[in-house]
């Protein structure tokens, strides 16, 4: 994300004369828009953003400044909020600070230089906050990538499972119009990271769909909390960690509550639970549609709105064909149609997995050491492949 050269400001006042004075005074100093009501301001924030600072009057018909700034805080928490009002009693100031989470409280009449200084300070705060977000998001992205590639290297089949779970999570989140989609996606991407502590033979039984004994089941059911503990050390991933921890926890008596009454952790954990059960059914030989219908008919502990959303997803591959390639032609993002084996029989990657950077480096290292069994088989779209945005693509 690149920051705008001139972050925008929004002035809100029901008096057109005051807004006109703002236009005359600040047109050479700020990039700004004006709105004559709280409703119009919210519409402009959604449709003409991003805005960095909002300056609002308090006494306006239909929606007060405090009510407006409260809504701005909910929907656009990064916007710096400033109250400019002639109603300077103490209770108004307290309500503005507590309800609208404002940065500055200015009283009318206010010198233009004071308003300009407050706005410019707000612009500096917003710019610093966006810079910190960029740095944090870059750090998070790199950390998540490392964790998923380490898991794919240790347990290759788990990476394939992650892809299917991520596809299901994205679809349900979009269908149910959930907010903060990135938290749900990260929870799906890292949902199986706790499997890093499981024995390879046990995980192989899980991915083959075999029944587990009581001791094996106990070990497998411990992985969500282990994964959650791993990522709670990363900033801003607390919600995703809670979702991961709850992926095997039934909603119980909260199952029938409206979606709005559930926490994001409950919703995300529940979607993960449905995705894991469907994936298990697929690994036991059922096609995706049949796996969803099977769960729909038997699982009383899964929300109907989640299952209804999953029924509309196409998880089957696009029309693909197998193509043999040699080591020099292996690329990041390719979909394997068969296992990649070293010459001594060690499995380096499994059928259905997408080649990652770390995986490719590992395969190259074996190629330079013990050698590989070539050629490899990858899946490529045929000329007749449908252009379905829900179909699998290697870059998804």
């Amino acid at each position: 994300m690149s920051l705008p050269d001139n972050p925008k400001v929004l002035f809100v006042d029901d008096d057109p004369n005051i807004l006109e004075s703002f236009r005359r005074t600040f047109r050479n100093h700020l990039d700004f828009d004006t709105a004559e009501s709280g409703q119009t301001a919210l519409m402009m924030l959604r449709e003409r953003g991003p805005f960095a600072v909002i300056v609002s009057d308090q006494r306006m018909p239909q929606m007060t400044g405090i009510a407006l700034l409260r809504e701005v805080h909910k929907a656009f928490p990064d916007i710096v909020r400033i109250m400019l009002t002639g109603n300077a009693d103490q209770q108004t100031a307290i309500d503005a600070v507590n309800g609208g989470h404002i940065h500055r409280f200015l009283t009318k009449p206010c010198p233009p230089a004071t308003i300009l200084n407050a706005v410019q300070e707000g612009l500096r705060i917003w710019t610093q906050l966006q810079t910190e977000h960029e740095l944090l998001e870059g750090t998070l992205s790199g950390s998540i990538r490392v964790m998923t590639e380490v898991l794919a290297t240790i347990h290759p089949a788990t990476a394939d499972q992650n892809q299917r779970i991520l596809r299901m999570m994205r679809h349900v989140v979009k269908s149910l119009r959930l907010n903060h989609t990135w938290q749900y996606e990260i929870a799906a991407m890292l949902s199986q990271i706790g499997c890093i502590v499981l024995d390879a033979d046990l995980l192989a039984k899980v991915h083959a769909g075999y029944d587990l004994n009581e001791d094996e089941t106990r070990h497998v059911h411990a992985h969500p909390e282990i994964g959650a503990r791993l990522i709670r050390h990363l900033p801003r991933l607390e919600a995703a960690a809670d979702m991961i921890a709850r992926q095997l926890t039934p909603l119980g008596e909260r199952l029938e509550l409206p979606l709005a009454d559930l926490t994001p952790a409950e919703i995300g954990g529940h979607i993960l639970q449905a995705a894991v059960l469907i994936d298990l059914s697929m690994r036991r030989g059922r096609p995706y549609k049949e796996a969803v219908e099977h769960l729909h008919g038997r699982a009383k502990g899964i929300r109907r709105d989640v299952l209804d959303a999953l029924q509309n997803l196409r998880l089957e591959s696009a029309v693909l064909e197998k193509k043999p390639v040699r080591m020099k032609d292996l690329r990041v993002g390719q979909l394997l149609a068969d296992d990649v084996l070293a010459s001594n029989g060690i499995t380096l990657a499994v059928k259905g997995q997408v080649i990652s950077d770390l995986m490719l480096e590992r395969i190259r290292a074996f190629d330079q050491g013990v050698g590989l069994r070539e050629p490899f088989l990858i899946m490529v779209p045929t000329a007749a492949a449908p252009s379905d945005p829900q179909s699998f693509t290697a870059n998804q």
Side-chain angles (χ1 to χ4, degrees):
M1 177 185 70
S2 58
L3 298 181
D5 294 333
N6 296 303
K8 293 171 64 177
V9 179
L10 182 61
F11 289 100
V12 188
D13 201 301
D14 63 319
D15 188 337
N17 293 324
I18 291 178
L19 294 181
E20 180 58 34
S21 70
F22 288 157
R23 295 187 191 99
R24 291 195 307 267
T25 305
F26 301 129
R27 62 187 178 185
N28 295 325
H29 302 280
L30 301 170
D31 182 4
F32 66 93
D33 283 328
T34 59
E36 295 188 7
S37 70
Q39 293 88 340
T40 301
L42 290 174
M43 180 272 295
M44 294 176 68
L45 291 174
R46 288 191 294 267
E47 299 180 3
R48 300 188 189 179
F51 285 87
V53 177
I54 182 170
V55 182
S56 177
D57 184 28
Q58 162 59 4
R59 288 188 172 179
M60 297 184 294
Q62 297 182 330
M63 179 180 286
T64 65
I66 292 174
L68 169 61
L69 296 182
R70 184 183 297 117
E71 293 301 313
V72 172
H73 174 67
K74 291 179 183 177
F76 309 95
D78 286 354
I79 294 180
V80 177
R81 296 163 293 279
I82 298 174
M83 175 72 75
L84 176 61
T85 180
N87 186 24
D89 62 90
Q90 185 179 22
Q91 188 58 48
T92 299
I94 293 173
D95 291 344
V97 172
N98 294 337
H101 301 272
I102 67 167
H103 171 66
R104 291 286 299 274
F105 187 93
L106 305 176
T107 58
K108 296 178 180 177
C110 187
T114 302
I115 298 174
L116 182 60
N117 287 338
V119 170
Q120 289 176 333
E121 181 184 5
L123 291 173
R124 287 191 294 270
I125 292 172
W126 181 86
T127 300
Q128 181 179 2
L129 188 60
Q130 302 312 302
T131 302
E132 291 174 352
H133 282 343
E134 283 192 346
L135 178 61
L136 184 56
E137 288 171 6
T139 302
L140 281 177
S141 177
S143 300
I144 292 167
R145 183 177 179 182
V146 168
M147 294 174 77
T148 55
E149 291 194 357
V150 167
L151 179 62
T153 301
I154 297 174
H155 297 310
T158 305
D160 181 37
Q161 181 188 25
N162 267 353
Q163 291 292 326
R164 293 188 294 269
I165 292 174
L166 178 59
R167 290 284 311 282
M168 287 186 265
M169 175 66 84
R170 283 174 172 167
H171 186 77
V172 175
V173 167
K174 182 178 180 180
S175 298
L176 299 184
R177 299 180 180 180
L178 301 176
N179 296 321
H180 309 298
T181 59
W182 67 273
Q183 295 180 347
Y184 293 95
E185 292 199 7
I186 289 176
M189 292 169 63
L190 297 177
S191 63
Q192 306 305 303
I193 194 67
C195 292
I196 201 168
V197 302
L198 297 181
D199 178 82
D201 291 338
L202 173 57
L203 202 57
K205 289 183 66 175
V206 172
H207 286 289
Y210 295 133
D211 292 330
L212 306 178
N213 62 38
E214 184 177 342
D215 189 55
E216 290 171 334
T217 300
R218 179 173 54 82
H219 280 91
V220 171
H221 281 204
H223 88 77
E225 184 54 43
I226 292 172
R229 286 203 304 267
L230 283 173
I231 71 169
R232 281 195 180 106
H233 297 293
L234 296 174
R236 298 183 69 197
L237 293 191
E238 294 84 359
D242 290 342
M243 294 177 194
I244 291 170
R246 298 181 66 91
Q247 65 182 282
L248 298 180
T249 303
L251 282 173
E253 61 184 15
R254 296 177 63 79
L255 181 68
E256 303 301 328
L257 291 178
L259 203 63
D261 292 343
L262 298 179
T263 66
E266 289 176 317
I267 298 171
H270 190 68
I271 298 171
L272 286 177
Q273 185 175 144
V276 168
L277 289 173
I278 291 170
D279 184 72
L280 175 62
S281 186
M282 292 174 68
R283 283 186 271 117
R284 288 179 171 173
R286 290 188 178 93
Y288 172 74
K289 291 293 185 183
E290 186 179 327
V292 176
E293 291 171 1
H294 179 76
L295 186 60
H296 212 301
R298 297 186 58 181
K300 296 181 180 180
I302 303 297
R303 288 182 62 97
R304 295 292 145 177
D305 48 7
V306 171
L307 285 174
D308 289 343
L310 286 169
Q311 282 187 319
N312 298 322
L313 171 65
R314 284 184 57 189
L315 198 60
E316 292 79 13
S317 299
V319 180
L320 301 173
E321 63 180 3
K322 295 179 181 179
K323 176 184 177 181
V325 296
R326 303 192 70 82
M327 179 63 227
K328 64 183 180 64
D329 299 315
L330 208 58
R331 299 287 185 270
V332 171
Q334 290 174 336
L335 175 64
L336 293 174
D338 205 353
D339 296 350
V340 175
L341 304 176
S343 59
N344 59 6
I346 293 177
T347 301
L348 305 179
V350 297
K351 175 183 177 180
Q353 194 170 357
V354 178
I355 296 294
S356 67
D357 288 323
L358 191 59
M359 187 190 308
L360 185 57
E361 288 302 316
R362 183 173 184 238
I363 294 171
R364 283 174 177 161
F366 271 83
D367 181 42
Q368 296 169 5
V370 299
L372 304 170
R373 295 182 183 178
E374 299 183 85
F376 316 113
L377 289 178
I378 64 170
M379 301 300 291
V380 296
T382 65
S387 56
D388 179 4
Q390 292 288 5
S391 298
F392 180 89
T393 60
N395 293 325
Q396 195 160 1

